[in-house]
Amino acid sequence: MQRTNIPDSKIPESVTPYPAVNLVWLAPSLLSLTWFFANISAVKWLLSSFVEIPTLYKIVIGVLIVALVVRSLSSGTSPPALSPKFVLRRYPLLLMLGARVCSIAAGCIIDIKQITILLFILGTYGLYGLMVEPNFWRKNLPIAGLLACILPFNTQLNNGLGLPARVLTAQVVEKLLSVFQIGAISSYDIIVLENGIAQVDVPCSGIKTLLVGTLFLLAATWLESRQLGFKWLAVCAVNFIMLVSANALRVIVLVLVAQVFQQPIYAEILHVPLGIVGLVSACFLSWLMLQKIPKISATKQINLESQQDAEILKNQPLAKAGLIAAVAVLAAISQLYHVESEQVAIAPLKFPEQIVSEAIPLNPSEQKFFGNYPDTKTEKKRFISGNLRGSMLTVASTSWQTYHAPELCFIASGIPVNRIERKQLTPAIAARWLSVKDNQLSATYWLQSSEQTTDNFLERIRSDINHKNHTWVLVSILFDNSVNPESSEVQSFAKNVHNTVNYSLTIAKNEKN
């Protein structure tokens, strides 16, 4: 065969490979940027709050990362590097897009930042699953769940979810006791009992127990390499029910011992052991159920399924562009329909002449708590109104998560609460009336907006669902002595305070409009 000589001038110049390499990373980079833009509020919250996460949480996160690396090395594999040629696998896609859709839906209904962060972390792990080896991703999915539970639930845990959980627990226990003809104990009595025994630092809302039990299940799933699927979700649901039931049962026992059998000392002794027994029992039963779920290493179908997913999706040229477009649409929806918190609309309080008042500073615990919510407006005053003397704290905010139950603040300040009742101070004011410090002092509080007044925190939460960004004011009053809520002087004073707050809300609302 005769060789044809081609002049060097006719040989085409070789194309350098570097631009092509850069283009390989274009699609995953664009997808990642779009994803983080869609979750920009969650990213900002994580970055700003990470420095405030307690040292214990940071240690746990570090231990998880070290354990992940050690476990990978001991199994003879190392964590895979990110691949620029991401594959649209079924389960990572479902986790990623499902988490984002749920986050948007939750934000439209009620904005609980911890839930948003949890879904963001899980969705980000779904994004990660498009770029790594599928077996590694599935085996370590519980680690993403652990981080999703640890990162958002820091010291503000009980300030947010703890309050409604505590109220719901008390109401459920009250209903259960009424079944056994123990109807004299109200949910207010139960709250007082819980606070008195728990000493505020570990409120009996059950949130911490629920968190620890969930972390145990996720850790056991990861260490034993159990498959995540519908069976595991069923175990998770049963674990949740057992933890909630154990907490409710513990509160029932405490109420029976302390108030029915009149043995408060034994109730205080039983408080911690009952909590530990309930938690350990629920975790043990969950672990037993977990043994019925097959291990990932015992199934040979995972590689086959992952390959099938890859074959189905990787050869669709428009699939990756469609995913980026879908995430961009979700980002646009979240920006259009996300309800931004508006500024608090309330004018400075100006009490009538019969109420003489002067401003006083917040105590250290109040400064620390309200410092986490810079958009909140607080006023604390000493007052004199006829024979009535005391202090008053007003907290104006557009978010229900800003509020802390005043009875917890009293106990934290060393003022024990002996009794809580519901009192109709005036036709317009349904308030909670507290007997504190061995019945030597009296206190009261209520929540009011320009349209409604209530003593029920759950009603305040429902208002956030129906009417976004309405300014509400928590009015908390501590008298210097024990007073009668039925007296005309107390009722007249409460009416004046209520009218003053309502006037300030109305003035600010009119100026805003």
Side-chain angles (χ1 to χ4, degrees):
M1 183 176 181
Q2 187 177 359
R3 181 177 178 181
T4 304
N5 293 325
I6 302 176
D8 292 341
S9 60
K10 299 297 184 180
I11 298 177
E13 296 181 0
S14 60
V15 180
T16 57
Y18 299 106
V21 173
N22 293 335
L23 288 176
V24 171
W25 283 99
L26 179 61
S29 299
L30 188 58
L31 175 61
S32 300
L33 289 174
T34 307
W35 171 255
F36 284 104
F37 175 74
N39 295 274
I40 190 65
S41 61
V43 174
K44 289 180 179 178
W45 191 92
L46 275 177
L47 293 177
S48 62
S49 66
F50 188 76
V51 293
E52 300 178 3
I53 294 178
T55 304
L56 178 60
Y57 281 75
K58 293 178 181 177
I59 293 174
V60 172
I61 294 170
V63 169
L64 285 176
I65 295 174
V66 172
L68 178 61
V69 175
V70 171
R71 188 166 182 262
S72 299
L73 295 176
S74 63
S75 63
T77 61
S78 58
L82 293 177
S83 171
K85 296 182 179 180
F86 68 90
V87 178
L88 306 185
R89 299 186 181 94
R90 182 181 307 158
Y91 296 113
L93 268 178
L94 287 175
L95 181 62
M96 177 184 173
L97 298 179
R100 187 62 205 139
V101 171
C102 291
S103 179
I104 294 174
C108 292
I109 298 173
I110 184 168
D111 187 18
I112 300 178
K113 188 60 67 177
Q114 291 92 337
I115 302 300
T116 302
I117 302 302
L118 186 150
L119 291 170
F120 165 65
I121 295 172
L122 291 178
T124 302
Y125 192 75
L127 172 64
Y128 175 71
L130 303 178
M131 306 177 192
V132 295
E133 190 270 326
N135 272 356
F136 178 87
W137 183 84
R138 289 198 184 194
K139 286 181 180 180
N140 295 292
L141 181 56
I143 286 290
L146 285 168
L147 291 174
C149 291
I150 291 173
L151 283 175
F153 297 107
N154 50 43
T155 54
Q156 296 184 25
L157 168 66
N158 285 298
N159 297 342
L161 299 177
L163 177 60
R166 184 171 61 93
V167 176
L168 282 172
T169 300
Q171 292 184 357
V172 169
V173 171
E174 178 187 10
K175 297 296 183 183
L176 291 174
L177 290 174
S178 65
V179 174
F180 298 97
Q181 308 301 317
I182 307 176
I185 299 176
S186 68
S187 59
Y188 304 115
D189 297 321
I190 295 169
I191 288 175
V192 171
L193 173 67
E194 291 179 281
N195 294 337
I197 293 177
Q199 297 300 316
V200 179
D201 56 338
V202 188
C204 295
S205 63
I207 294 292
K208 287 186 177 179
T209 300
L210 187 61
L211 176 62
V212 173
T214 303
L215 292 177
F216 170 82
L217 180 60
L218 289 167
T221 302
W222 177 61
L223 291 173
E224 297 187 2
S225 298
R226 301 291 177 178
Q227 288 188 49
L228 296 181
F230 290 112
K231 290 184 178 180
W232 185 88
L233 289 175
V235 172
C236 187
V238 173
N239 178 62
F240 178 90
I241 294 172
M242 289 191 298
L243 291 169
V244 172
S245 301
N247 180 67
L249 181 61
R250 173 174 61 89
V251 176
I252 289 175
V253 172
L254 293 177
V255 171
L256 292 175
V257 173
Q259 297 203 8
V260 177
F261 299 111
Q262 297 296 313
Q263 299 293 332
I265 295 178
Y266 290 110
E268 188 168 355
I269 294 173
L270 289 172
H271 172 257
V272 174
L274 283 176
I276 295 175
V277 169
L279 174 62
V280 171
S281 300
C283 290
F284 178 70
L285 292 175
S286 298
W287 179 79
L288 288 179
M289 291 186 291
L290 196 63
Q291 306 310 302
K292 302 296 183 181
I293 298 177
K295 294 185 176 182
I296 292 179
S297 58
T299 117
K300 299 180 180 179
Q301 296 296 322
I302 294 177
N303 285 329
L304 179 59
E305 292 174 1
S306 300
Q307 291 172 3
Q308 288 176 346
D309 282 349
E311 291 297 328
I312 291 172
L313 297 171
K314 74 177 182 180
N315 293 322
Q316 297 181 12
L318 297 179
K320 294 179 181 179
L323 174 60
I324 296 174
V327 176
V329 169
L330 291 176
I333 292 174
S334 63
Q335 294 298 321
L336 290 173
Y337 290 92
H338 178 67
V339 181
E340 294 289 345
S341 296
E342 296 182 4
Q343 291 186 349
V344 177
I346 184 171
L349 301 179
K350 295 182 180 180
F351 293 103
E353 294 181 357
Q354 57 265 40
I355 300 179
V356 180
S357 65
E358 62 175 348
I360 56 176
L362 301 176
N363 61 41
S365 62
E366 291 167 342
Q367 292 177 7
K368 181 179 178 181
F369 177 77
F370 294 116
N372 295 320
Y373 304 96
D375 296 332
T376 299
K377 290 186 178 181
T378 60
E379 288 190 44
K380 191 172 185 180
K381 298 178 180 292
R382 286 287 305 172
F383 68 84
I384 298 176
S385 177
N387 296 320
L388 301 176
R389 288 171 171 78
S391 60
M392 180 192 316
L393 174 67
T394 57
V395 182
S397 175
T398 57
S399 171
W400 63 269
Q401 297 189 64
T402 305
Y403 301 120
H404 202 177
E407 59 263 22
L408 294 181
C409 297
F410 291 147
I411 298 175
S413 301
I415 306 175
V417 178
N418 306 111
R419 184 169 179 79
I420 302 178
E421 303 174 87
R422 189 176 191 271
K423 292 291 184 180
Q424 194 75 37
L425 298 182
T426 71
I429 307 174
R432 293 196 182 184
W433 189 265
L434 292 76
S435 298
V436 300
K437 203 174 182 179
D438 298 326
N439 299 317
Q440 297 178 18
L441 308 177
S442 296
T444 187
Y445 69 86
W446 65 83
L447 295 138
Q448 72 176 92
S449 67
S450 58
E451 301 174 352
Q452 183 182 0
T453 300
T454 181
D455 70 319
N456 192 338
F457 281 99
L458 296 183
E459 188 67 31
R460 168 68 185 90
I461 295 172
R462 281 193 288 268
S463 172
D464 241 17
I465 298 175
N466 298 327
H467 306 287
K468 300 288 186 182
N469 289 328
H470 277 201
T471 299
W472 279 76
V473 181
L474 170 64
V475 180
S476 178
I477 303 170
L478 176 63
F479 298 98
D480 285 347
N481 57 343
S482 178
V483 296
N484 183 3
E486 309 291 342
S487 69
S488 58
E489 190 173 29
V490 170
Q491 294 180 355
S492 176
F493 171 74
K495 181 179 179 180
N496 285 330
V497 172
H498 184 271
N499 290 342
T500 300
V501 173
N502 188 62
Y503 179 76
S504 297
L505 289 170
T506 303
I507 289 294
K509 186 177 181 180
N510 292 337
E511 290 178 352
K512 181 180 176 181
N513 295 333

